[in-house]
Amino acid sequence: IFEIGPVEPRFSEWLVFEGLSVDEKGEQHYLDATISYKMAVLKCIKYLSQFGYSEEQVYLLLSACPCEGRISGIVDVPNAVCTLAIPMSIFDRDVRPPTENVLEYLANGIRRVERDCCISIEGGAIPVDSRLEDWQV
């Protein structure tokens, strides 16, 4: 048992990772925030391991640092979106994405999210979930 201090830490700069409800195999999970948060954490681990940390060290860091996990969107059917925000002041080096050689950096695994990735040819989002196979759009 512990008592929380009277003043909470105030951080001004955050590094934010976003995850969708699509797992590592590319399988869509209908509005599954657990998968979304897991994907945000995995992206964070992959990104921070490029700065000299092992994946295990990043995992331990995430379990102890004052990070913020949020469900950021559940209205974009079939996707649930979760974000993981980490204060940048906890690092002893600059972990921000570089502003130069952006294309090279994107080639190393940091990708731009394509927009409208769940729009069907009819113009509406089609949920991909085995529980909804009999559901008509």
Side-chain angles (χ1 to χ4, degrees):
I1 298 176
F2 63 92
E3 183 177 338
I4 297 175
V7 178
E8 64 180 82
R10 299 283 184 195
F11 300 106
S12 59
E13 293 183 306
W14 299 82
L15 193 58
V16 181
F17 300 89
E18 184 178 75
L20 296 174
S21 53
V22 179
D23 65 16
E24 301 94 329
K25 298 174 186 174
E27 183 178 336
Q28 175 75 49
H29 296 269
Y30 185 73
L31 294 178
D32 192 336
T34 305
I35 297 291
S36 301
Y37 191 71
K38 174 184 172 185
M39 295 310 296
V41 170
L42 290 175
K43 288 178 183 180
C44 177
I45 290 172
K46 180 179 178 183
Y47 177 78
L48 291 177
S49 66
Q50 297 176 12
F51 292 93
Y53 302 105
S54 70
E55 291 184 355
E56 292 80 9
Q57 287 173 323
V58 177
Y59 184 82
L60 289 172
L61 174 75
L62 292 176
S63 69
C65 79
C67 59
E68 291 187 13
R70 297 181 181 176
I71 296 176
S72 302
I74 55 171
V75 295
D76 184 20
V77 176
N79 297 313
V81 180
C82 289
T83 54
L84 172 67
I86 302 170
M88 292 186 8
S89 61
I90 67 170
F91 296 101
D92 59 353
R93 61 191 89 176
D94 188 10
V95 295
R96 289 178 288 192
T99 56
E100 64 279 341
N101 299 327
V102 175
L103 292 178
E104 179 182 330
Y105 200 70
L106 289 172
N108 288 330
I110 305 300
R111 295 184 303 273
R112 190 181 305 183
V113 176
E114 297 293 328
R115 297 188 84 55
D116 299 331
C117 59
C118 69
I119 301 297
S120 71
I121 40 180
E122 291 84 22
I126 298 177
V128 180
D129 189 338
S130 60
R131 297 172 290 182
L132 300 174
E133 288 179 359
D134 297 329
W135 184 61
Q136 297 296 319
V137 177

